[in-house]
């Protein structure tokens, strides 16, 4: 049964649409592509899209605890093949690695650690005065897709560090790299369109201070929007770049989100270029999955539901979420990936469960939920999905393999679904 959301000027209160209780007959192909990674950031985070489809081939990117790797599948996820060479070293996981595909080119922004993995027994770890010895640098890579391999043609240090990287290309062709620094949201923009060689000085894109966990979306006419969950204060903020300047003050979207650093109850943001509508899903402090949208002129009063109200409630007991778009439909369908919580550990960051996807058009749920994690497992988390779901959804995620220690090791899993009946 399709559960309808009543749509109107007033958003309804009352019965909550419950998703994930029944599953669709649409098949998801689920495969383990790495059985044991000794780092809990091997697939994070959902503000990054580490999977994509290109000319019949799925690509997925992850950290194996030593290197940043990618694997490919040309049979809709039935079998996977590891690339001949890793992208680069990734000793501390992949939360500072982001990937975008434009045509047949791949762009990556990532952190580089000259000393390798952080060593808790090293002098720089034991002596706070020597902490600066453990350095982080930035790297930008460009590659050309050739069948199932990527030929890397650019590998450069842009001159700035990258932490929790989010790389975006705007409608004018400029690249933007969002990062966090000194508890602020900062951004770097390329000096020229379609060129990653030179960058403008850093600027502040979200002036609120705290532990940022953000997602940025390119809009039209060179505009962008960024939303960040500050776990230091339990608040969700947004800010608009109107094509010329960032807003001087952040917009408070919600004052009721998690205060747990490292929590996976976060947000995901996408822009529909045809409808010119910004879509936002996020999880509040009560583990409720909520939805809002923003239309032109993209001011605080244009958010729906209005910011005086909570976002539209979609589901309860949700511990993670990610948003994609099906651009073959007008307006775009919004496949929502979400996790239904089945386990909470003593560590407040430890929330795992079953992972599902269900299509949403901004007004109604479409079809039924598809179970994307391995049936019978509940220790699944950290999903990463493809942004454009025109050819189906490819979800990469982590599965804990030791019930006594969910942090590591982790198996890297990939699930592929066409989302629709063949």
């Amino acid at each position: 049964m399709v559960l309808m959301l009543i749509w109107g000027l007033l958003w309804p209160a009352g019965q909550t649409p419950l998703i994930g209780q029944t599953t669709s007959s649409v098949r998801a192909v689920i495969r383990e592509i790495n059985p044991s990674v000794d780092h809990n950031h091997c697939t994070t985070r959902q503000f990054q899209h580490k999977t994509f489809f290109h000319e019949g081939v799925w690509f997925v990117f992850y950290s194996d605890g030593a290197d940043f790797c990618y694997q490919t599948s040309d049979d809709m996820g039935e079998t996977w093949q590891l690339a001949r060479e890793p992208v680069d070293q990734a000793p501390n996981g992949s939360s500072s690695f982001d990937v975008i595909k434009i045509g047949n080119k791949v762009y990556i922004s990532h952190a580089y650690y000259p000393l390798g993995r952080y060593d808790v027994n090293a002098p720089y770890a034991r002596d706070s005065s020597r902490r600066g010895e453990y350095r982080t640098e930035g790297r930008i890579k460009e590659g050309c897709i050739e069948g199932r391999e990527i030929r890397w043609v650019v590998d450069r240090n842009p001159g700035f560090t990258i932490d929790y990287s989010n790389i975006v290309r705007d409608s004018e062709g400029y690249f933007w790299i969002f990062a966090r620094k000194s508890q602020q949201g900062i951004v770097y923009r390329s000096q020229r369109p379609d060129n990653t060689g030179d960058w403008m000085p850093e600027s502040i894109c979200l002036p609120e201070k705290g532990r940022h966990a953000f997602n940025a979306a390119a809009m039209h006419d060179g505009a962008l929007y960024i939303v960040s969950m500050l776990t230091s204060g339990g608040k969700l903020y947004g800010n608009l770049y109107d094509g010329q300047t960032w807003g001087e003050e952040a917009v408070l979207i919600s004052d009721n989100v998690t205060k747990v650093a490292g929590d996976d109850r976060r947000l995901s943001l996408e822009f529909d270029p045809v409808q010119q509508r910004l879509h936002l899903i996020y999880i509040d402090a009560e583990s409720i999955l909520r939805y809002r949208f923003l239309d032109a002129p993209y001011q605080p009063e244009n958010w729906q539901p209005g910011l005086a109200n909570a976002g539209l409630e979609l589901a309860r007991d949700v511990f993670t979420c990610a948003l994609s778009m099906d651009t073959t439909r007008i307006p775009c369908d919004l496949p929502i990936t979400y996790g239904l919580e089945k386990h909470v550990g003593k560590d407040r960051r430890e929330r795992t469960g079953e992972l599902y996807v269900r299509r949403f058009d901004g007004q109604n749920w479409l079809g039924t939920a598809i179970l994307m994690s391995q049936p019978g497992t509940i220790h699944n988390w950290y999903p990463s999905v493809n942004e454009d779901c025109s050819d189906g959804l490819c979800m990469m995620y982590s599965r804990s393999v030791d019930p006594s220690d969910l942090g590591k090791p982790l198996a890297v899993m990939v699930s592929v679904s066409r989302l629709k009946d063949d």
Side-chain angles (χ1 to χ4, degrees):
M1 176 179 180
V2 178
L3 297 170
M4 307 295 289
L5 298 177
I6 300 173
W7 192 260
L9 295 177
L10 296 176
W11 291 72
Q15 185 175 1
T16 302
L18 297 177
I19 56 181
Q21 294 183 334
T22 60
T23 55
S24 169
S25 61
V26 178
R27 188 171 67 111
V29 177
I30 304 171
R31 296 291 183 266
E32 179 183 272
I33 64 170
N34 191 308
S36 180
V37 176
D38 68 342
H39 201 290
N40 62 359
H41 275 190
C42 55
T43 64
T44 54
R45 290 282 188 173
Q46 64 267 49
F47 61 84
Q48 299 160 334
H49 296 283
K50 292 193 177 77
T51 80
F52 63 77
F53 187 79
H54 181 76
E55 295 183 354
V57 179
W58 286 108
F59 289 73
V60 301
F61 295 77
Y62 64 95
S63 168
D64 66 2
D67 295 312
F68 191 44
C69 310
Y70 69 96
Q71 293 200 31
T72 58
S73 173
D74 62 0
D75 53 11
M76 289 302 292
E78 294 285 352
T79 59
W80 290 88
Q81 175 179 300
L82 182 66
R84 290 191 298 267
E85 299 291 337
V87 178
D88 210 327
Q89 66 170 3
N92 295 316
S94 62
S95 58
S96 290
F97 284 70
D98 200 10
V99 181
I100 59 172
K101 183 186 83 75
I102 301 167
N104 71 334
K105 296 195 70 175
V106 178
Y107 298 85
I108 291 179
S109 61
H110 72 91
Y112 176 76
Y113 303 91
L115 297 183
R117 194 170 215 169
Y118 188 85
D119 182 0
V120 295
N121 296 315
Y124 59 72
R126 299 195 308 268
D127 183 353
S128 59
S129 65
R130 301 183 62 176
R131 194 63 51 84
E133 294 178 10
Y134 186 77
R135 307 188 317 277
T136 303
E137 300 175 1
R139 289 291 186 275
I140 307 294
K141 286 184 170 59
E142 299 178 21
C144 297
I145 302 173
E146 298 176 348
R148 298 178 67 166
E149 295 286 334
I150 300 173
R151 177 172 56 86
W152 301 104
V153 295
V154 170
D155 182 4
R156 61 168 59 97
N157 183 344
F160 52 84
T161 59
I162 294 173
D163 183 27
Y164 256 50
S165 170
N166 203 188
I167 183 170
V168 175
R169 180 180 178 270
D170 70 19
S171 61
E172 308 297 321
Y174 291 97
F175 288 96
W176 299 73
I177 293 179
F178 295 84
R180 58 186 185 184
K181 179 180 179 182
S182 301
Q183 291 203 322
Q184 286 187 310
I186 61 170
V187 66
Y188 304 87
R189 197 202 77 174
S190 64
Q191 291 189 15
R192 291 170 289 167
D194 298 311
N195 189 291
T196 62
D198 299 293
W199 297 82
M200 301 289 288
E202 72 178 53
S203 59
I204 295 174
C205 56
L206 215 155
E208 293 292 329
K209 285 199 170 185
R211 290 190 299 267
H212 282 277
F214 46 70
N215 196 185
M219 301 164 74
H220 57 84
D221 299 327
L224 299 100
Y225 207 94
I226 184 170
V227 176
S228 184
M229 186 171 286
L230 275 70
T231 56
S232 48
K235 295 181 180 181
L236 189 72
Y237 287 99
N239 201 13
L240 170 70
Y241 178 80
D242 62 7
Q244 299 294 326
T245 59
W246 289 97
E248 293 184 1
E249 295 184 2
V251 177
L252 179 62
I253 297 174
S254 173
D255 61 0
N256 182 38
V257 295
T258 181
K259 295 182 180 180
V260 178
D263 201 328
D264 212 34
R265 293 178 295 173
R266 303 203 182 185
L267 68 113
S268 192
L269 191 68
E270 292 293 344
F271 181 72
D272 182 341
V274 176
Q275 200 176 19
Q276 295 194 351
R277 172 172 289 179
L278 187 71
H279 300 277
L280 169 68
I281 59 172
Y282 64 96
I283 303 169
D284 71 13
E286 279 72 51
S287 300
I288 298 173
L289 178 64
R290 297 191 179 274
Y291 167 75
R292 294 186 188 273
F293 70 84
L294 181 64
D295 286 341
Y298 310 111
Q299 298 304 305
E301 60 271 20
N302 302 126
W303 277 106
Q304 292 293 333
L307 296 180
N309 304 306
L312 181 67
E313 182 176 327
L314 297 183
R316 293 176 178 267
D317 299 322
V318 175
F319 71 93
T320 192
C321 66
L323 188 59
S324 305
M325 293 190 302
D326 181 352
T327 56
T328 63
R329 294 177 177 264
I330 299 177
C332 293
D333 278 359
L334 302 170
I336 295 178
T337 298
Y338 60 93
L340 290 183
E341 187 176 281
K342 300 296 180 180
H343 167 83
V344 179
K346 293 181 180 180
D347 186 330
R348 293 191 299 164
R349 299 170 298 178
E350 190 178 283
R351 296 173 181 269
T352 66
E354 299 169 339
L355 301 173
Y356 293 84
V357 65
R358 190 172 185 184
R359 292 163 56 221
F360 179 63
D361 66 2
Q363 298 184 35
N364 307 312
W365 288 114
L366 306 174
T368 52
I370 303 169
L371 178 64
M372 295 293 288
S373 54
Q374 203 170 30
T377 63
I378 63 169
H379 296 311
N380 308 294
W381 48 358
Y382 297 149
S384 184
V385 299
N386 49 308
E387 185 172 24
D388 184 347
C389 283
S390 303
D391 297 288
L393 182 82
C394 180
M395 181 187 75
M396 179 179 61
Y397 67 99
S398 301
R399 177 176 58 82
S400 297
V401 297
D402 181 356
S404 65
D405 184 359
L406 300 189
K408 58 182 182 181
L410 296 174
V412 179
M413 310 291 296
V414 181
S415 302
V416 176
S417 173
R418 297 185 185 275
L419 295 180
K420 309 162 193 173
D421 293 310
D422 292 335

